[in-house]
Amino acid sequence: LAVANYRTGNVSVLLGIGFRDLSMSPQQIPLLKSIVRGTRLSEAEALVRSIEKLPTAKEVENIVFTEMKRIFPDLADQDAPA
């Protein structure tokens, strides 16, 4: 599976649901490379299990943002939920 046009905070979710090919602009490569390298697949899969039954997109967004902030505190602010 491949995907393009996603927020950086969603990379862990995409990895957790099985995406392995990510399309991005050249400027995004260093950032996304660091996120992929810093993400344990087991943690990404656990994140997906924790959000898959949430009733609203807002709740999913909040959980994903909280997890990204925990793992990547320096990166999370750029993907803060609106």
Side-chain angles (χ1 to χ4, degrees):
L1 296 172
V3 68
N5 298 326
Y6 46 86
R7 293 174 58 181
T8 57
N10 295 339
V11 172
S12 293
V13 174
L14 294 173
L15 293 171
I17 60 175
F19 283 86
R20 297 298 181 264
D21 295 317
L22 304 171
S23 177
M24 67 200 76
S25 68
Q27 299 91 329
Q28 292 178 301
I29 291 172
L31 173 62
L32 294 177
K33 188 185 232 183
S34 69
I35 292 172
V36 170
R37 286 183 174 171
T39 300
R40 291 184 181 173
L41 191 53
S42 60
E43 288 180 345
E45 292 166 343
L47 175 61
V48 169
R49 285 191 301 275
S50 74
I51 63 173
E52 65 187 351
K53 294 188 182 183
L54 292 175
T56 68
K58 189 66 175 170
E59 289 175 275
V60 169
E61 187 176 62
N62 287 335
I63 294 288
V64 170
F65 175 74
T66 299
E67 184 67 6
M68 284 298 293
K69 192 169 184 174
R70 182 185 70 80
I71 298 171
F72 305 102
D74 296 337
L75 304 176
D77 288 337
Q78 65 186 344
D79 258 357

